Every structure is written in C-alpha cells, then in structure tokens.
C-alpha cells in the first residue's frame, strides 16, 4: 500500500470520522478500531498494539498493516484536547521518533509511517506546513472532500 492509498482509505470515511470528532470525546483508540474495519473491508491484514523489541519492549505500536508491499508500522496521532492546534505537530514529531525504533523479526520490507489527523484550522495549517517544508519530501497532506479533517502521513526512515 502506498501512502497516498492509505490516506485515501481514511478520507473515504471522512463523514464518520468527523461525526466521531464532534462528540468531543477522546477518539484515537476509536479511530484505530475504525481504521481496522476499513482495512479489513479492503482485505488488508492489520494488527493493533504490537510490542516493540527490547530495549523498548514497554512501548506498543498503534497499528501494523501487511500487504503485498510489505509491513507498515504505523503510529497514529489524532488531534484532541491534549494535543490541539499546533501541539499536534509536536505530538507527531514524538511519534516519528518512536516509530523509528520499531523493528520486526518477520522479515520482508518494513516501512514506518506516522499519521496525524487534524480537525481544527490551526492543526490543519501546522500539518500543511510540515508537508510543504519537508526537505526530503517524505510527508504528504490531504484534506477530505468536506474539508472536515486533514491528514498528514510522514514516512520515517
């Protein structure tokens, strides 16, 4: 799965995601489950909360996806009351550092992604700036058709 395909898969569910956001409750775990449902509908294997290898064994990977392109280790950050606005960009950076330490013993191609979902104008602008100013062009930003959410996917090396 290419990053663009992954973002489009999420954006196809934009109305449901926007509805969840409107509840005002923490919804990052809900989003992980919703993402799992979307992936299963697309016949793509996934797992949640996988342990990292030592010395990071106490850490858990939000989601792993396996398809014909290999394994994608994904840390997810969703804008919430604790990381609203520009704070989402800081939380995204921290997850990028975290996922850079993820390894697998399954062999095959492993890619590492960090995905951030924003709903406020300030957070969307922050994610757009990250994508626009990425010197390695490893970040992409998309908004849904309804402009209710914005998604940044960053490939971490």
């Amino acid at each position: 799965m290419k990053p663009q395909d992954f973002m489009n898969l999420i954006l196809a569910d934009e109305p449901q995601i926007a509805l969840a956001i409107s509840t005002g409750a923490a919804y990052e775990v809900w989003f992980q489950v919703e993402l799992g449902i979307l992936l299963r509908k697309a016949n793509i294997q996934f797992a949640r909360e996988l342990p990292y290898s030592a010395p990071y064994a106490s850490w858990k990977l939000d989601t792993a996806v396996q398809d014909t392109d290999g394994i994608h280790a994904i840390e997810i950050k969703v804008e919430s009351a604790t990381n609203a606005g520009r704070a989402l960009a800081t939380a995204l950076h921290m997850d990028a550092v975290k996922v850079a330490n993820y390894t697998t013993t399954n062999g095959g191609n492993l890619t590492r992604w960090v995905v951030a979902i924003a709903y406020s104008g300030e957070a969307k602008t922050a994610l757009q700036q990250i994508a626009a100013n990425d010197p390695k062009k490893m970040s992409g930003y998309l908004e849904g058709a309804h402009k209710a959410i914005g998604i940044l996917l960053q490939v971490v090396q």
Side-chain angles (χ1 to χ4, degrees):
M1 176 179 298
K2 305 294 181 229
Q4 179 85 27
D5 298 330
F6 187 76
M7 290 192 297
N8 286 333
L9 179 84
I10 294 169
L11 288 174
D13 198 40
E14 179 186 23
Q16 182 75 5
I17 295 168
L19 184 61
I21 291 168
S22 73
T23 66
Y27 60 94
E28 188 168 313
V29 173
W30 170 88
F31 176 74
Q32 290 176 21
V33 173
E34 183 73 3
L35 178 60
I37 292 167
L38 294 171
L39 290 164
R40 281 198 173 161
K41 285 181 180 178
N43 295 316
I44 299 171
Q45 295 181 22
F46 84 100
R48 290 186 57 242
E49 301 298 319
L50 296 174
Y52 277 65
S53 300
Y56 310 104
S58 64
W59 295 358
K60 301 288 185 203
L61 180 69
D62 288 337
T63 302
V65 174
Q66 185 169 1
D67 61 14
T68 56
D69 290 336
I71 298 169
H72 311 286
I74 305 167
E75 287 292 346
I76 299 168
K77 197 51 63 192
V78 180
E79 184 179 14
S80 68
T82 58
N83 61 7
R86 295 203 57 82
L88 181 61
T90 302
L92 169 82
H93 175 72
M94 291 170 55
D95 268 3
V97 171
K98 179 181 174 185
V99 78
N101 291 292
Y102 186 80
T103 59
T104 181
T105 58
N106 292 351
N109 187 33
L110 173 66
T111 58
R112 296 171 187 87
W113 298 344
V114 63
V115 175
I117 299 178
Y119 59 86
S120 72
E122 184 181 0
K124 287 181 195 176
T125 299
L127 297 184
Q128 288 170 342
Q129 289 173 347
I130 290 169
N133 296 321
D134 183 347
K136 295 181 181 178
K137 304 295 181 211
M138 301 298 281
S139 302
Y141 177 83
L142 290 176
E143 285 188 9
H146 303 285
K147 305 291 184 195
I149 62 172
I151 300 172
L152 179 115
L153 188 150
Q154 187 174 67
V155 178
V156 177
Q157 296 179 321

